Amino acid sequence: MNYFSSDFKLGILGGGQLGKMLLYETRKLDICTAVLDPSDQAPCKIACNDFVLGDLMDYDTVYNFGLEVDVLTIEIENVNIDALEALEKKGKKVYPSSTTLKKIQNKAKQKLFYKDHNIPTADFSRFAYADEILTAVENESIEFPFVWKSARFGYDGQGVKVIRTYSDLDGLPNGECIAEKMIPFKNELAVIVARDVHGNVKTYPVVEMEFHPEANQVEYVICPARIDPQVAKKAQLVALKVSQAFQHVGLLAVEMFQTQDDHILVNEVAPRPHNSGHYSIEASYTNQFEQHLRAILGLPLGETKSKVAGIMVNLVGDEQYKGPVIYKNIEKIMAMEGVTPHIYGKRETRPFRKMGHVTIINQDVAKARRIAEEVKNSIRVISDS
């Protein structure tokens, strides 16, 4: 099939920043695109060929959108799976498939999938309602501390909470959830696996993630991870095992814990381009967004090696501000060596909202990390209102 400068149309469910960065690549290759998103202010709106306003969880909206495109992909997991299934039955190509998404969309099902496929993961208990956790604690079937995770709709630190005492149970949403054993880990790592429609697979280097202690969001992604090469090899092998189990098409970001005794445990996965791969736009031979396109269109997978060390700093809204966004000191960071800001196109900031990211590249990962710290301490995402 001719994808380039033709009538072929790629459909993207979700119009956020991941979609916007995917559109950098469709523009580069002149692939026609349509995007469905519930917000008229979606970052993707300025860059796609056709923008459709609609609810990603509504069956008819997703189904009718899918009928108008040749290949359908996602930039967010929370979409109507039944509509995708119906589209597949009509012969539409949907990547990742409804089968893959069904296993991943619900965190409880995702964890059970790991157990069923002998994929190492933290011990957990599944609950239909959050108030059942109190009974489990009182019966000593689970003990403090543990991590509560909502089974559905958790992202960017939402739907996750560390539970250390009874009082931490107050105010939890009373839906399906899991209580996961807290792992005293050395590092949080991630590996992005690309798998194409023919089953060819490539992995990106292992990255290391440093988290904001309050927001539970990634502050820094460091590539290559500053870990023993044997541990890195182990992490890549685990990621490949996860990819093989899911049989996904496209990208699969596998987030992992490196335990104190250097075991690798899978935390969770995302079947799409991911925050942990943003560094690749500047640092890799083939960035994650181009690779996702190559994988879902059956084009040759690109080289995943890095040209240089890359560090990504998330730009999130300052916790004291809400309103029209101002990027304070952006000129200062743009004067620094190897620094590239990416602004997502969200006009309104609010506490901890992802507004953009900055990539720092350097031959020396230690130097890149020092510059990243300077970037983090310089730029602020604020508002004048």
Side-chain angles (χ1 to χ4, degrees), residues 25 28 203-205 207 223-224 277-288 290 294 302-311 338 340 359-365 368:
E25 305 306 319
K28 186 169 82 182
T203 64
Y204 279 82
V207 302
C223 182
H278 290 348
Y279 76 90
S280 66
I281 298 174
E282 278 74 35
S284 303
Y285 283 98
T286 310
N287 74 60
Q288 65 163 343
E290 181 183 330
R294 286 171 176 247
E303 177 58 71
T304 53
K305 287 179 190 158
S306 297
K307 302 179 224 177
V308 288
I311 296 189
T340 305
T359 312
I360 301 92
I361 58 170
N362 201 285
Q363 292 296 339
D364 180 353
V365 71

Side-chain angles (χ1 to χ4, degrees), residues 326-346:
I326 294 170
Y327 295 91
K328 190 177 179 185
N329 296 330
I330 192 166
E331 298 88 349
K332 182 180 176 184
I333 70 160
M334 288 175 81
M336 296 176 191
E337 182 186 353
V339 169
T340 305
H342 292 256
I343 304 300
Y344 294 158
K346 300 171 184 177

